Amino acid sequence: MGKKAQFGSKIGLIAATVGSAVGLGNVWRFPAEAQANGGAAFLIVYIACVFILGVPVMVSEFALGRAGRSDAVGAFKNLGAAKPWWSVGALAVLASYMILCFYMVVAGWTIEYLWSSISGSLYDFTDTASDEAGFTHKMQQMIGGSYRPLVATYVTILINIGVLVVGVQKGIERLSNILMPVLFLVLIAMCGVALSLDKASEGLAYFLNPDFSKITPAVVLNALGQAFFSLSLGMGILITYSSYFPNSTKLTKTAVTVSLLDLLVAIMMGIIIFPAITSFGLTDANLEGTALVFVTLPEVFRMMPATALWSTLFFLLLTVAAITSTISIAEVTVAFVSDRFKTSRLKACMITLLPLFAFSTVCSLSLSGDSPLRIAGMSVFDMLDSVSTNILLPVVSIGVCVYLGWFAPKKVLPDEISNHGNASHHPVSLIRFIIRYLAPALIALVLASYFFNV
């Protein structure tokens, strides 16, 4: 094995790390959560959660990854952690691979809709009574079908192989340097269009004018969960990526920058979606996840001038977010296989990604209404989603916080945060307090809410 790979520039480092965090959780999950939890009230709590929970936990994952200079398991081992602790890293690898199995399918959907927008077939209804029914029918075909969804999924896997095989700088960093500016340019363009709509002010009022009476314990828990999910905490991504950080990288500054940009994407999505929904009389439309992206928003684009342009731009945005996310999630396992088994990067990529042609196929086919591929009454897709995101990710994050806060060598956190004395060490005490006490307790509440339906 050669020298540990590193990101080649500060811009590339930020672009890659932001790309790992910005994903479908920002683009469809955040607006849906905001709509269901009081709009601006949810936004205020969410922002607080990003900085109270997100930044300190992100810094701790960065510190672990850069100090350990290895994959999610090796980082613990290189710091002398006993088996119970490096098992936390193993759970992160497991969770990320479970997510990867179904996330490849979702990314394939975005590619399918992007192509349909470009070709014009997205708005070609011949067998339905209404446009909404037409979009619903197309979504059901996409999710429950057996042919086209699989082709799009396989295209996504091949894109991942092509990027990951060439390495950290030439693959991940180079792609991120291209796609992240594209993502923000598309967001800016679509924000401009949304703000020009007739009833944009009504949508903005709901999203940006808080009614604090709507803040309830359930809203706080949902905001915590969204902050946790959108920043990619507990997946092993941040541990893996930070192992590629140069020694000069300021971890606290990087965590704040990444969190701010991630937050900016979520807010811009709210600025795009809520004015559009209110302007076209769709206030009571289904804003839940898949229906929001693949039914409600295409209906909005249909009522706008230059329908094909805005639909294409939106699904380009969605595809960029999905591709950067799948690449970062896949890199967790690629790094694990490469570091643990001392294999070449090419072989690690093949071991990681080729089985997805089978695993993601099972996930996709399990969504068909009459599919026998079900576990405990859930499709394989939903089961992997539920177990990984609701159970494994919180457990991993609690483990990272407890290990860094109590059991890791005492110098790891201050040395990494201060770059061994070359940067400010002032955040150390506050971050250590948060990851010792506050973050584990808050994450445990999110975990408990899943089991007790709080």
Side-chain angles (χ1 to χ4, degrees):
M1 300 297 289
K3 181 181 178 182
K4 185 69 175 178
Q6 290 191 358
F7 291 118
S9 67
K10 290 182 180 179
I11 293 176
L13 182 154
I14 293 294
T17 311
V18 170
S20 74
V22 171
L24 300 179
N26 301 74
V27 176
W28 85 34
R29 194 175 191 266
F30 173 80
E33 287 291 310
Q35 191 271 343
N37 290 279
F42 176 84
L43 176 62
I44 295 296
V45 178
Y46 173 70
I47 292 172
C49 291
V50 166
F51 291 101
I52 293 172
L53 172 67
V55 171
V57 176
M58 186 178 291
V59 170
S60 67
E61 292 200 25
F62 284 169
L64 177 61
R66 191 170 67 176
R69 287 290 182 202
S70 188
D71 60 278
V73 173
F76 282 92
K77 287 189 172 184
N78 289 348
L79 294 181
K83 183 176 181 178
W85 294 115
W86 60 255
S87 295
V88 172
L91 283 179
V93 176
L94 174 63
S96 66
Y97 201 76
M98 291 172 66
I99 291 169
L100 193 62
C101 290
F102 68 82
Y103 220 70
M104 288 292 187
V105 177
V106 179
W109 297 345
T110 69
I111 292 176
E112 168 70 18
Y113 261 61
L114 175 60
W115 174 248
S116 296
S117 297
I118 294 170
S119 66
S121 63
L122 181 59
Y123 295 90
D124 181 21
F125 305 130
T126 58
D127 58 350
T128 53
S130 69
D131 290 326
E132 183 177 355
F135 292 127
T136 301
H137 179 65
K138 281 186 177 293
M139 184 186 76
Q140 290 170 343
Q141 283 186 317
M142 175 190 67
I143 292 176
S146 59
Y147 171 64
R148 293 186 65 168
L150 291 180
V151 172
T153 298
Y154 300 156
V155 169
T156 307
I157 296 171
L158 290 173
I159 291 172
N160 275 258
I161 291 174
V163 172
L164 289 166
V165 161
V166 296
V168 173
Q169 286 190 24
K170 294 182 179 179
I172 297 171
E173 183 174 353
R174 183 175 293 175
L175 184 78
S176 300
N177 283 339
I178 296 170
L179 293 188
M180 283 300 99
V182 169
L183 182 143
F184 279 98
L185 286 174
V186 174
L187 278 172
I188 291 168
M190 296 199 71
C191 280
V193 173
L195 292 174
S196 69
L197 297 174
D198 292 340
K199 296 183 179 180
S201 59
E202 294 181 21
L204 285 179
Y206 176 77
F207 183 54
L208 299 177
N209 187 17
D211 177 357
F212 292 103
S213 66
K214 293 184 177 181
I215 298 178
T216 64
V219 169
V220 173
L221 282 174
N222 289 332
L224 278 168
Q226 175 61 25
F228 178 86
F229 184 84
S230 68
L231 292 173
S232 298
L233 303 176
M235 296 186 190
I237 296 172
L238 302 178
I239 297 173
T240 303
Y241 271 28
S242 57
S243 73
Y244 308 140
F245 286 4
N247 290 328
S248 59
T249 302
K250 296 179 180 178
L251 299 189
T252 304
K253 183 178 180 180
T254 300
V256 171
T257 302
V258 170
S259 298
L260 282 172
L261 290 173
D262 187 76
L263 180 61
L264 178 61
V265 171
I267 291 174
M268 291 175 80
M269 282 306 305
I271 291 173
I272 291 168
I273 287 174
F274 290 108
I277 295 297
T278 55
S279 293
F280 293 108
L282 299 172
T283 306
D284 296 326
N286 187 352
L287 290 181
E288 180 183 355
T290 306
L292 165 65
V293 173
F294 298 112
V295 177
T296 304
L297 286 178
E299 187 176 354
V300 167
F301 299 140
R302 181 192 61 79
M303 293 183 281
M304 294 171 65
T307 293
L309 172 64
W310 300 118
S311 178
T312 299
L313 282 177
F314 176 77
F315 286 107
L316 173 63
L317 163 70
L318 204 65
T319 300
V320 168
I323 292 298
T324 56
S325 291
T326 55
I327 287 169
S328 62
I329 297 169
E331 177 64 15
V332 175
T333 305
V334 170
F336 170 76
V337 173
S338 179
D339 290 353
R340 291 304 94 212
F341 300 100
K342 309 301 181 186
T343 65
S344 68
R345 185 168 186 87
L346 173 61
K347 186 179 291 186
C349 288
M350 296 301 105
I351 291 171
T352 298
L353 293 161
L354 289 183
L356 292 174
F357 284 101
F359 297 153
S360 295
T361 296
V362 171
C363 287
S364 181
L365 294 178
S366 73
L367 291 171
S368 176
D370 56 356
S371 173
L373 301 171
R374 307 187 74 81
I375 300 173
M378 294 188 290
S379 66
V380 174
F381 183 108
D382 290 335
M383 186 275 295
L384 291 176
D385 185 4
S386 180
V387 172
S388 59
T389 59
N390 294 315
I391 299 175
L392 293 182
L393 299 191
V395 168
V396 170
S397 283
I398 291 172
V400 170
C401 288
V402 172
Y403 176 70
L404 262 293
W406 295 98
F407 296 97
K410 291 184 178 179
K411 289 187 177 182
V412 169
L413 205 59
D415 281 354
E416 291 301 321
I417 291 175
S418 68
N419 288 3
H420 295 271
N422 294 314
S424 173
H425 66 278
H426 294 300
V428 173
S429 297
L430 178 60
I431 290 173
R432 178 170 278 154
F433 172 80
I434 291 173
I435 65 172
R436 276 186 169 183
Y437 304 105
L438 190 59
L442 292 175
I443 298 169
L445 284 175
V446 174
L447 181 62
S449 70
Y450 170 72
F451 288 103
F452 298 103
N453 295 315
V454 175

XYZ file of all heavy atoms in Angstrom, residues 318-397:
588
model
N -31.207 17.396 -8.732
C -31.457 16.193 -7.925
C -30.445 15.102 -8.257
O -29.937 14.406 -7.360
C -32.878 15.700 -8.196
C -33.533 14.848 -7.111
C -33.750 15.668 -5.854
C -34.866 14.291 -7.606
N -30.128 14.960 -9.533
C -29.166 13.944 -9.950
C -27.774 14.243 -9.412
O -27.059 13.341 -8.954
C -29.127 13.834 -11.486
O -30.434 13.482 -11.968
C -28.125 12.791 -11.948
N -27.370 15.514 -9.459
C -26.067 15.906 -8.907
C -25.997 15.562 -7.427
O -25.007 14.978 -6.948
C -25.816 17.412 -9.126
C -24.618 17.885 -8.302
C -25.582 17.706 -10.599
N -27.043 15.915 -6.679
C -27.066 15.618 -5.244
C -27.002 14.114 -4.999
O -26.294 13.646 -4.097
C -28.330 16.200 -4.608
N -27.711 13.350 -5.808
C -27.738 11.902 -5.622
C -26.394 11.266 -5.961
O -25.908 10.392 -5.232
C -28.842 11.294 -6.490
N -25.775 11.696 -7.054
C -24.510 11.094 -7.482
C -23.390 11.397 -6.483
O -22.611 10.506 -6.104
C -24.114 11.582 -8.890
C -25.090 11.033 -9.931
C -22.681 11.154 -9.232
C -25.121 9.528 -10.041
N -23.285 12.660 -6.040
C -22.232 12.990 -5.068
C -22.435 12.222 -3.766
O -21.467 11.831 -3.107
C -22.186 14.500 -4.786
O -23.474 14.959 -4.338
C -21.790 15.280 -6.026
N -23.692 11.984 -3.403
C -23.971 11.226 -2.180
C -23.593 9.762 -2.331
O -22.961 9.176 -1.443
C -25.453 11.340 -1.808
O -25.770 12.649 -1.391
N -23.980 9.140 -3.456
C -23.663 7.723 -3.625
C -22.152 7.500 -3.665
O -21.655 6.523 -3.110
C -24.298 7.147 -4.910
O -23.894 7.922 -6.042
C -25.808 7.129 -4.810
N -21.424 8.415 -4.293
C -19.972 8.276 -4.364
C -19.348 8.349 -2.979
O -18.470 7.555 -2.622
C -19.376 9.343 -5.302
C -19.693 8.977 -6.755
C -17.868 9.495 -5.101
C -19.403 10.067 -7.744
N -19.802 9.290 -2.162
C -19.236 9.423 -0.814
C -19.606 8.227 0.063
O -18.791 7.755 0.857
C -19.703 10.730 -0.160
O -21.113 10.756 -0.017
N -20.824 7.733 -0.082
C -21.232 6.568 0.705
C -20.435 5.337 0.279
O -19.968 4.553 1.111
C -22.747 6.313 0.558
C -23.549 7.497 1.107
C -23.149 5.047 1.312
C -25.034 7.446 0.760
N -20.255 5.169 -1.024
C -19.502 4.017 -1.521
C -18.045 4.069 -1.088
O -17.431 3.027 -0.813
C -19.589 3.951 -3.046
N -17.479 5.272 -0.993
C -16.074 5.416 -0.620
C -15.804 4.858 0.770
O -14.690 4.401 1.059
C -15.659 6.888 -0.685
C -14.233 7.192 -0.256
C -13.171 6.562 -1.145
O -13.501 6.105 -2.261
O -11.989 6.530 -0.723
N -16.798 4.858 1.652
C -16.626 4.297 2.998
C -16.220 2.826 2.915
O -15.253 2.391 3.563
C -17.924 4.447 3.828
C -17.772 3.760 5.182
C -18.272 5.917 4.015
N -16.937 2.060 2.108
C -16.627 0.644 1.975
C -15.385 0.410 1.125
O -14.587 -0.494 1.406
C -17.825 -0.119 1.372
O -18.987 0.134 2.175
C -17.563 -1.614 1.351
N -15.201 1.222 0.077
C -13.996 1.098 -0.753
C -12.747 1.285 0.112
O -11.794 0.498 0.039
C -14.008 2.121 -1.902
C -12.644 2.159 -2.614
C -15.103 1.788 -2.906
N -12.748 2.336 0.946
C -11.597 2.588 1.829
C -11.422 1.455 2.825
O -10.291 1.035 3.116
C -11.784 3.914 2.563
N -12.526 0.934 3.363
C -12.462 -0.173 4.317
C -11.829 -1.401 3.679
O -10.903 -2.009 4.237
C -13.870 -0.500 4.821
C -13.960 -1.766 5.619
C -13.504 -1.820 6.927
C -14.487 -2.924 5.048
C -13.576 -3.001 7.663
C -14.572 -4.100 5.773
C -14.112 -4.133 7.080
N -12.295 -1.784 2.502
C -11.761 -2.968 1.825
C -10.290 -2.761 1.469
O -9.449 -3.642 1.683
C -12.583 -3.279 0.557
C -11.923 -4.398 -0.255
C -14.015 -3.673 0.931
N -9.967 -1.587 0.958
C -8.593 -1.298 0.548
C -7.638 -1.318 1.740
O -6.562 -1.930 1.684
C -8.535 0.059 -0.154
O -7.220 0.374 -0.529
N -8.020 -0.653 2.844
C -7.134 -0.548 4.010
C -7.068 -1.831 4.824
O -5.993 -2.235 5.277
C -7.595 0.604 4.914
C -7.362 1.968 4.293
O -6.730 2.030 3.226
O -7.818 2.975 4.870
N -8.211 -2.484 5.017
C -8.224 -3.672 5.886
C -7.600 -4.876 5.194
O -6.946 -5.707 5.827
C -9.659 -4.020 6.291
C -10.386 -3.071 7.225
C -9.658 -2.835 8.515
N -8.822 -1.631 8.398
C -7.690 -1.446 9.008
N -7.193 -2.381 9.787
N -7.002 -0.333 8.856
N -7.845 -5.008 3.885
C -7.393 -6.210 3.188
C -6.204 -5.956 2.270
O -5.785 -6.843 1.521
C -8.566 -6.818 2.396
C -9.721 -7.213 3.268
C -10.834 -6.392 3.382
C -9.674 -8.372 4.023
C -11.902 -6.737 4.202
C -10.737 -8.738 4.839
C -11.850 -7.917 4.944
N -5.666 -4.727 2.349
C -4.444 -4.365 1.617
C -4.573 -4.675 0.120
O -3.681 -5.252 -0.496
C -3.230 -5.106 2.189
C -3.077 -4.984 3.706
C -2.948 -3.539 4.143
C -2.778 -3.426 5.652
N -2.791 -2.022 6.134
N -5.694 -4.286 -0.458
C -5.926 -4.516 -1.878
C -5.714 -3.222 -2.661
O -5.684 -2.125 -2.096
C -7.360 -5.006 -2.132
O -8.279 -3.961 -1.776
C -7.666 -6.248 -1.319
N -5.594 -3.339 -3.951
C -5.516 -2.163 -4.809
C -6.862 -1.449 -4.816
O -7.902 -2.046 -4.502
C -5.151 -2.570 -6.236
O -6.219 -3.299 -6.825
N -6.851 -0.187 -5.206
C -8.103 0.568 -5.250
C -9.056 -0.041 -6.279
O -10.270 -0.114 -6.051
C -7.826 2.032 -5.572
C -9.096 2.887 -5.501
C -8.827 4.372 -5.526
N -10.086 5.078 -5.319
C -10.591 5.386 -4.136
N -9.926 5.061 -3.034
N -11.737 6.020 -4.027
N -8.526 -0.467 -7.418
C -9.368 -1.072 -8.443
C -10.096 -2.282 -7.896
O -11.319 -2.430 -8.065
C -8.504 -1.471 -9.648
C -9.218 -2.269 -10.747
C -10.361 -1.464 -11.344
C -8.233 -2.690 -11.827
N -9.373 -3.161 -7.223
C -9.995 -4.373 -6.682
C -11.012 -4.019 -5.590
O -12.093 -4.625 -5.520
C -8.920 -5.307 -6.122
C -9.468 -6.665 -5.666
C -8.357 -7.571 -5.146
C -7.446 -8.015 -6.285
N -6.450 -9.020 -5.807
N -10.674 -3.033 -4.736
C -11.605 -2.615 -3.676
C -12.895 -2.066 -4.268
O -13.988 -2.323 -3.746
C -10.932 -1.567 -2.784
N -12.784 -1.308 -5.345
C -13.977 -0.761 -6.004
C -14.836 -1.874 -6.584
O -16.071 -1.852 -6.469
C -13.582 0.213 -7.108
S -12.921 1.786 -6.512
N -14.206 -2.859 -7.192
C -14.965 -3.965 -7.770
C -15.651 -4.790 -6.681
O -16.819 -5.172 -6.816
C -14.036 -4.858 -8.603
C -13.427 -4.186 -9.826
S -14.642 -3.546 -11.008
C -14.527 -1.775 -10.681
N -14.932 -5.057 -5.597
C -15.511 -5.829 -4.489
C -16.698 -5.085 -3.884
O -17.704 -5.688 -3.493
C -14.435 -6.100 -3.407
C -13.387 -7.079 -3.942
C -15.068 -6.643 -2.128
C -12.181 -7.242 -3.033
N -16.596 -3.778 -3.813
C -17.657 -2.965 -3.212
C -18.856 -2.799 -4.133
O -20.012 -2.964 -3.707
C -17.114 -1.573 -2.843
O -16.074 -1.711 -1.882
C -18.214 -0.683 -2.277
N -18.613 -2.472 -5.387
C -19.679 -1.999 -6.260
C -20.319 -3.066 -7.143
O -21.510 -2.984 -7.444
C -19.148 -0.856 -7.130
C -18.817 0.404 -6.323
C -17.889 1.330 -7.092
C -20.094 1.141 -5.947
N -19.569 -4.067 -7.552
C -20.173 -5.077 -8.430
C -21.335 -5.832 -7.766
O -22.349 -6.099 -8.431
C -19.100 -6.058 -8.920
C -18.091 -5.490 -9.930
C -17.135 -6.581 -10.390
C -18.794 -4.852 -11.132
N -21.241 -6.185 -6.463
C -22.401 -6.855 -5.837
C -23.672 -6.016 -5.835
O -24.771 -6.559 -5.697
C -21.915 -7.116 -4.401
C -20.428 -7.170 -4.504
C -20.082 -6.154 -5.550
N -23.529 -4.691 -5.995
C -24.707 -3.826 -5.993
C -25.605 -4.080 -7.196
O -26.804 -3.771 -7.143
C -24.288 -2.360 -5.954
C -23.623 -1.893 -4.654
C -23.112 -0.479 -4.788
C -24.599 -2.001 -3.481
N -25.046 -4.622 -8.278
C -25.914 -4.980 -9.399
C -26.969 -5.988 -8.956
O -28.097 -5.984 -9.467
C -25.078 -5.545 -10.560
C -24.339 -4.496 -11.348
C -22.990 -4.272 -11.139
C -25.003 -3.716 -12.278
C -22.299 -3.301 -11.856
C -24.341 -2.746 -12.999
C -22.980 -2.530 -12.801
N -26.629 -6.850 -8.010
C -27.602 -7.805 -7.462
C -28.395 -7.195 -6.310
O -29.631 -7.245 -6.294
C -26.889 -9.065 -6.990
N -27.686 -6.578 -5.339
C -28.368 -6.076 -4.141
C -29.354 -4.958 -4.471
O -30.480 -4.927 -3.951
C -27.340 -5.575 -3.117
C -26.416 -6.639 -2.600
C -25.140 -6.323 -2.143
C -26.812 -7.966 -2.558
C -24.285 -7.303 -1.670
C -25.966 -8.960 -2.078
C -24.693 -8.621 -1.638
N -28.947 -4.018 -5.312
C -29.839 -2.910 -5.663
C -30.996 -3.393 -6.527
O -32.098 -2.824 -6.480
C -29.058 -1.805 -6.376
O -28.101 -1.225 -5.506
N -30.762 -4.427 -7.319
C -31.854 -5.025 -8.091
C -32.931 -5.558 -7.153
O -34.133 -5.338 -7.364
C -31.332 -6.161 -8.992
O -30.431 -5.616 -9.961
C -32.479 -6.866 -9.706
N -32.510 -6.267 -6.109
C -33.464 -6.784 -5.118
C -34.231 -5.633 -4.469
O -35.460 -5.709 -4.300
C -32.731 -7.623 -4.053
C -33.678 -7.985 -2.907
C -32.144 -8.882 -4.674
N -33.520 -4.565 -4.099
C -34.181 -3.400 -3.486
C -35.222 -2.811 -4.420
O -36.346 -2.486 -4.012
C -33.145 -2.331 -3.135
S -32.126 -2.720 -1.723
N -34.871 -2.653 -5.689
C -35.789 -2.064 -6.662
C -37.003 -2.950 -6.887
O -38.154 -2.486 -6.835
C -35.054 -1.821 -7.985
O -35.909 -1.226 -8.940
N -36.778 -4.238 -7.109
C -37.886 -5.149 -7.378
C -38.793 -5.335 -6.166
O -39.975 -5.643 -6.310
C -37.349 -6.505 -7.829
C -36.606 -6.524 -9.180
C -36.093 -7.923 -9.480
C -37.507 -6.026 -10.302
N -38.255 -5.124 -4.967
C -39.062 -5.307 -3.752
C -40.155 -4.249 -3.620
O -41.083 -4.409 -2.828
C -38.172 -5.280 -2.505
O -37.722 -3.967 -2.210
N -40.052 -3.159 -4.400
C -41.038 -2.086 -4.317
C -42.278 -2.355 -5.151
O -43.268 -1.621 -5.051
C -40.399 -0.754 -4.761
C -39.335 -0.201 -3.813
C -38.619 0.969 -4.447
C -39.949 0.201 -2.481
N -42.218 -3.357 -5.989
C -43.399 -3.714 -6.764
C -44.509 -4.185 -5.828
O -44.252 -4.872 -4.833
C -43.050 -4.833 -7.753
O -44.199 -5.263 -8.444
N -45.729 -3.806 -6.127
C -46.846 -4.089 -5.230
C -47.038 -5.554 -4.913
O -47.458 -5.909 -3.810
N -46.763 -6.437 -5.875
C -46.959 -7.865 -5.649
C -45.651 -8.607 -5.406
O -45.587 -9.832 -5.517
C -47.677 -8.494 -6.849
C -46.924 -8.253 -8.161
O -45.908 -7.535 -8.135
O -47.374 -8.784 -9.200
N -44.598 -7.886 -5.032
C -43.298 -8.511 -4.839
C -43.282 -9.369 -3.574
O -43.762 -8.945 -2.517
C -42.198 -7.448 -4.732
O -40.966 -8.038 -4.376
N -42.697 -10.568 -3.661
C -42.559 -11.406 -2.458
C -41.336 -11.010 -1.625
O -41.098 -11.600 -0.572
C -42.376 -12.810 -3.054
C -41.680 -12.570 -4.366
C -42.227 -11.266 -4.884
N -40.561 -10.032 -2.121
C -39.327 -9.632 -1.451
C -39.649 -8.685 -0.296
O -39.432 -7.469 -0.364
C -38.368 -8.966 -2.455
C -37.954 -9.834 -3.646
C -37.206 -9.013 -4.672
C -37.091 -10.995 -3.156
N -40.167 -9.255 0.781
C -40.568 -8.453 1.927
C -40.017 -9.074 3.212
O -39.894 -10.292 3.323
C -42.088 -8.301 2.012
C -42.728 -7.783 0.728
C -44.195 -7.492 0.884
N -44.438 -6.280 1.631
C -44.381 -5.058 1.101
N -44.052 -4.891 -0.165
N -44.637 -4.005 1.826
N -39.686 -8.211 4.181
C -39.167 -8.643 5.472
C -39.960 -7.937 6.555
O -40.017 -6.702 6.573
C -37.665 -8.319 5.612
C -36.854 -9.032 4.522
C -37.152 -8.705 7.004
C -35.400 -8.635 4.497
N -40.579 -8.688 7.442
C -41.390 -8.117 8.530
C -42.435 -7.141 7.993
O -42.688 -6.087 8.576
C -40.491 -7.425 9.555
N -43.023 -7.502 6.872
C -44.074 -6.676 6.288
C -43.576 -5.489 5.485
O -44.385 -4.747 4.923
N -42.272 -5.285 5.413
C -41.702 -4.171 4.670
C -40.961 -4.681 3.445
O -40.450 -5.797 3.442
C -40.720 -3.366 5.541
C -41.331 -2.636 6.715
S -40.101 -1.545 7.520
C -39.027 -2.772 8.268
N -40.894 -3.841 2.412
C -40.049 -4.170 1.274
C -38.599 -4.176 1.734
O -38.243 -3.573 2.756
C -40.236 -3.140 0.161
O -39.757 -1.863 0.576
N -37.750 -4.881 0.989
C -36.316 -4.880 1.312
C -35.783 -3.454 1.302
O -34.991 -3.067 2.167
C -35.537 -5.758 0.307
C -34.036 -5.651 0.550
C -35.984 -7.210 0.402
N -36.240 -2.666 0.350
C -35.853 -1.253 0.254
C -36.154 -0.524 1.567
O -35.276 0.113 2.160
C -36.619 -0.611 -0.907
C -36.278 0.828 -1.196
C -35.548 1.155 -2.326
C -36.710 1.856 -0.368
C -35.245 2.489 -2.622
C -36.411 3.172 -0.639
C -35.671 3.493 -1.773
N -37.411 -0.610 2.017
C -37.822 0.111 3.232
C -37.151 -0.440 4.479
O -36.841 0.313 5.412
C -39.340 0.046 3.389
C -40.070 0.871 2.338
O -39.460 1.835 1.824
O -41.229 0.542 2.020
N -36.924 -1.743 4.514
C -36.272 -2.337 5.674
C -34.841 -1.825 5.818
O -34.413 -1.439 6.913
C -36.278 -3.862 5.554
C -35.735 -4.600 6.791
S -33.922 -4.790 6.802
C -33.688 -5.855 5.388
N -34.088 -1.810 4.716
C -32.714 -1.296 4.758
C -32.698 0.170 5.156
O -31.855 0.603 5.941
C -32.046 -1.484 3.395
C -31.742 -2.927 2.968
C -31.181 -2.948 1.555
C -30.780 -3.592 3.937
N -33.631 0.939 4.610
C -33.735 2.363 4.936
C -34.012 2.545 6.425
O -33.332 3.311 7.123
C -34.852 2.987 4.097
C -34.962 4.502 4.286
O -34.133 5.092 5.009
O -35.875 5.097 3.698
N -34.996 1.824 6.936
C -35.409 1.989 8.327
C -34.309 1.603 9.309
O -33.973 2.354 10.237
C -36.667 1.159 8.590
O -37.099 1.292 9.923
N -33.715 0.427 9.109
C -32.706 -0.069 10.057
C -31.443 0.793 10.021
O -30.888 1.157 11.067
C -32.354 -1.539 9.751
C -31.170 -1.995 10.597
C -33.557 -2.433 10.020
N -30.995 1.139 8.824
C -29.737 1.894 8.719
C -29.875 3.318 9.224
O -29.065 3.775 10.039
C -29.226 1.884 7.275
O -30.188 2.450 6.398
N -30.892 4.039 8.753
C -30.982 5.465 9.088
C -31.541 5.713 10.483
O -31.134 6.661 11.148
C -31.837 6.224 8.056
O -33.162 5.672 8.018
C -31.225 6.128 6.674
N -32.467 4.862 10.929
C -33.124 5.116 12.220
C -32.437 4.452 13.400
O -32.636 4.871 14.543
C -34.590 4.657 12.166
C -35.416 5.467 11.200
O -35.321 6.691 11.170
N -36.214 4.800 10.396
N -31.648 3.399 13.148
C -31.018 2.673 14.255
C -29.494 2.760 14.190
O -28.844 3.246 15.114
C -31.468 1.191 14.261
C -32.985 1.091 14.436
C -30.753 0.428 15.372
C -33.538 -0.320 14.327
N -28.904 2.301 13.085
C -27.448 2.194 13.033
C -26.755 3.553 13.067
O -25.750 3.729 13.775
C -27.023 1.420 11.787
C -27.418 -0.058 11.745
C -26.887 -0.719 10.475
C -26.894 -0.797 12.973
N -27.252 4.526 12.315
C -26.574 5.830 12.293
C -26.560 6.512 13.660
O -25.516 7.020 14.088
C -27.202 6.751 11.240
C -27.143 6.275 9.778
C -27.564 7.394 8.834
C -25.760 5.778 9.414
N -27.689 6.549 14.390
C -27.622 7.116 15.743
C -26.687 6.335 16.669
O -25.946 6.943 17.455
C -29.075 7.029 16.237
C -29.890 7.024 15.004
C -29.080 6.269 13.993
N -26.689 5.010 16.568
C -25.812 4.204 17.426
C -24.349 4.529 17.140
O -23.528 4.694 18.060
C -26.088 2.700 17.225
C -24.993 1.854 17.875
C -27.442 2.323 17.804
N -23.992 4.636 15.855
C -22.610 4.963 15.491
C -22.225 6.339 16.012
O -21.137 6.519 16.577
C -22.426 4.903 13.959
C -21.063 5.475 13.565
C -22.543 3.465 13.465
N -23.094 7.311 15.845
C -22.762 8.661 16.301
C -22.593 8.734 17.815
O -21.705 9.418 18.323
C -23.835 9.666 15.858
O -23.685 9.977 14.498
